[in-house]
Every structure is written in structure tokens, then in C-alpha cells.
Amino acid sequence: MLASIVYVTTGTYEEAQKIARSVVVDRLAACANILGSISSVYLWQDEIHEDPETALILKTRPELITHLTERIKDIHSYDCPCIVVLRIEDGNLDFIRWIEQETCYPKLN
């Protein structure tokens, strides 16, 4: 029984909400935590930037990562959004089972 945490940064709280709602409604993630305002310092196109962002944490199954990543990229305003995956190797098994129960492969049209 495995699960993953997906860390995403967005330009605004509203963008984080939009992504969170989309992936939870479509069952690509069981849960989304919007952590709120963070300050990000990063290099982009050979320039240093300091910008406010919003952090988003999603809980999902490892086998849904590709679908989840593509969905986030479709919605996200950034050219190259931060989407990183951390594997959950241990924890509350009841919670991990819940993640499995609440997520599923996207329906094909």
C-alpha cells in the first residue's frame, strides 16, 4: 500500500484553489492542502526572482502521478510549474487506505 504527496507552487491562492478543486473533483487526488503565502527566491532565465507564491500539497496514489501532473500543467499559469513528488513509505494505514479509496484513474471520453 503506497501513497504520494505532490508539492506544487502557484502564483496566487485562487490558482491553488482552482487546481485543488479540479484534481479532487476528478479524483486524481484525495485531498489538497493550501498552505498559503510563501516567499520564493529562485533563478529563472538567468535572473534571480523573489516572488510571493502559494504552496499546495496533494495526496494521491503513485500510479496517478502522470495524470495528475498533466492536469496541473493544463491548468497552471506558469510555463514550468513546480510539481514534485514525495513517496509516502509509512504512516497511518487507515489514512493511506482512504487515499486509495478516494482516487481513481480519469474516465476516458
Side-chain angles (χ1 to χ4, degrees), residues 20-31 59-61 64 68 71 98-107:
R21 285 188 181 118
S22 176
V23 300
V24 170
V25 165
D26 287 342
R27 302 187 77 152
L28 292 172
C31 176
K59 288 94 168 190
T60 192
R61 292 193 241 172
L64 295 177
L68 179 61
R71 175 64 57 80
W98 174 79
I99 292 171
E100 288 180 343
Q101 291 169 354
E102 295 303 321
T103 56
C104 62
Y105 283 97
K107 294 180 176 77

Side-chain angles (χ1 to χ4, degrees), residues 9-11 37-42 44 47-54 78:
T9 57
T10 64
S37 184
I38 60 173
S39 180
S40 295
V41 179
Y42 57 96
W44 179 249
E47 293 183 28
I48 188 135
H49 295 263
E50 294 187 36
D51 293 308
E53 291 187 298
T54 299
Y78 293 176

Side-chain angles (χ1 to χ4, degrees), residues 49-80:
H49 295 263
E50 294 187 36
D51 293 308
E53 291 187 298
T54 299
L56 174 63
I57 296 176
L58 306 168
K59 288 94 168 190
T60 192
R61 292 193 241 172
E63 61 267 23
L64 295 177
I65 295 298
T66 300
H67 294 289
L68 179 61
T69 299
E70 289 305 313
R71 175 64 57 80
I72 294 167
K73 287 169 65 176
D74 287 344
I75 299 168
H76 211 291
S77 64
Y78 293 176
D79 292 335
C80 183

Side-chain angles (χ1 to χ4, degrees), residues 1-3 30 61 92-103:
M1 189 175 330
L2 297 172
R61 292 193 241 172
N92 179 353
L93 292 180
D94 292 333
F95 184 75
I96 293 169
R97 281 188 203 101
W98 174 79
I99 292 171
E100 288 180 343
Q101 291 169 354
E102 295 303 321
T103 56

